[in-house]
Amino acid sequence: MSVAQFAVFGHPIAHSLSPQIHQDFARQFGIRLDYRGIDAAPDQFEVAVREFFANGGVGANVTLPHKAAACALADQRSEAATRAGVANVLTRLPDGRLGAHNTDGAGMVRDLTERHNMDLRGHDALLLGAGGAAQGVAWALLDAGVQTLTIVNRSPAAADALADAIGEPARAHTRYWEDLGEIGSYDLIIHATSAGVLHQPLSLPLSLVGARAFCYDLSYGEAAIGFLTWARAAGALHAYDGLGMLVETAADAFELWHGQRPDTAPVYQALRPQYG
Ligand code: ATR
């Protein structure tokens, strides 16, 4: 009997943890699956995706830099994918068409609230970045009860576009990156720029970090070191990377594909020591 095929598309993809995470989940249920990383340059992404699904692929995760393209090429989009305009999961529907989902926001909120015991309700949150990663989590933060979301991006137009798309001016608004030193402090700071992934230095004023601040980077490993080092130097009470978010978003994709909810705790605990 052939084994169901899954994949993660990215560029680069060599260091993706998704194959290992999905195999660990599958073992919890005695499911056998084929899950591989597929490196596709942006101009090859759509062709590679269509080939994968035409050859029997069941589901795919999508990571940088393809999340917007994944959302665009799908035939159907979940509400989370529609409003974010980016997708991290593609699924072959029963009629052969492709469905897009975005599990980033829900996964991040679950990591924050359940793993790190953070009550998001009532917080004034600062979101650094307005690209695909930020778009994936902005609505989920508001849904989870943050009182206000201040979006700050190096290019103001992208921050304005995200705030406009959210369309709740009393809760979600923007400030200029150049003014970060003058906007006071926050007790919840979400870092969603790709500076760390791109090995670019991130220069942020220490004054942003409130006395009991919770600082969170959507990335993990080396990419998160710059932000987390800054957060600790600024006196943050908590500074966490997004490794738990990765495992939670993977669990949502796994449930979509297999109809069973994996236990994320042992998978997270097994990965944690490798990432500091
Ligand atoms: P991702 O899917 O990781 O969000 P993206 O959609 O390309 O990738 O968005 C990258 C985000 O990181 C953008 O918000 C970008 O800011 P600009 O819109 O001004 O480009 C931000 N970013 C990238 N490098 C940065 C840097 N060195 N300093 C600050 N922001 C940076």
Side-chain angles (χ1 to χ4, degrees):
M1 202 182 94
S2 68
V3 178
Q5 287 179 51
F6 299 87
V8 55
F9 288 85
H11 184 65
I13 200 64
H15 299 295
S16 172
L17 292 175
S18 294
Q20 180 185 340
I21 292 172
H22 278 269
Q23 292 293 2
D24 287 350
F25 288 160
R27 261 191 298 279
Q28 293 180 6
F29 303 100
I31 294 172
R32 283 182 60 226
L33 52 83
D34 185 83
Y35 191 115
R36 59 203 156 100
I38 298 179
D39 192 327
D43 61 348
Q44 290 302 310
F45 173 67
E46 181 162 355
V47 171
V49 165
R50 298 216 182 273
E51 191 178 291
F52 171 74
F53 283 105
N55 289 326
V58 176
N61 285 116
V62 179
T63 187
L64 297 177
H66 301 311
K67 290 185 180 183
C71 194
L73 69 74
D75 304 295
Q76 265 184 25
R77 294 165 194 85
S78 67
E79 188 191 352
T82 302
R83 59 190 188 175
V86 286
N88 66 331
V89 183
L90 289 171
T91 305
R92 193 181 63 209
L93 303 171
D95 62 6
R97 295 183 308 148
L98 291 183
H101 295 264
N102 193 315
T103 63
D104 282 339
M108 180 199 66
V109 166
R110 220 168 33 252
D111 187 45
L112 286 169
T113 57
E114 294 180 17
R115 181 164 292 107
H116 299 307
N117 299 316
M118 170 98 189
D119 185 350
L120 291 167
R121 289 171 299 179
H123 283 284
D124 293 311
L126 175 65
L127 179 62
L128 297 169
Q135 289 159 25
V137 301
W139 279 267
L141 286 166
L142 291 163
D143 288 349
V146 303
Q147 187 164 295
T148 64
L149 185 66
T150 301
I151 305 164
V152 184
N153 192 52
R154 187 177 56 179
S155 326
D160 287 342
L162 179 52
D164 286 350
I166 291 168
E168 281 190 77
R171 291 180 75 201
H173 52 256
T174 64
R175 299 296 298 262
Y176 288 118
W177 189 271
E178 299 75 44
D179 295 341
L180 278 174
E182 291 137 43
I183 64 173
S185 64
Y186 289 81
D187 55 5
L188 174 60
I189 302 177
I190 307 288
H191 179 226
T193 86
S194 55
V197 176
L198 300 172
H199 307 290
Q200 291 174 3
L202 192 67
S203 172
L204 297 169
L206 299 177
S207 58
L208 284 175
V209 177
R212 298 187 53 78
F214 189 115
C215 294
Y216 190 83
D217 196 314
L218 299 191
S219 58
Y220 61 91
E222 275 191 24
I225 289 174
F227 175 77
L228 296 179
T229 303
W230 166 81
R232 291 184 186 114
L237 188 61
H238 301 288
Y240 291 114
D241 69 5
L243 183 66
M245 169 178 166
L246 177 75
V247 178
E248 295 304 322
T249 61
D252 284 346
F254 188 93
E255 189 175 6
L256 268 171
W257 296 333
H258 303 282
Q260 306 197 75
R261 181 98 205 141
D263 182 1
T264 55
V267 177
Y268 173 77
Q269 279 152 18
L271 289 170
R272 186 72 271 174
Q274 301 166 45
Y275 293 93

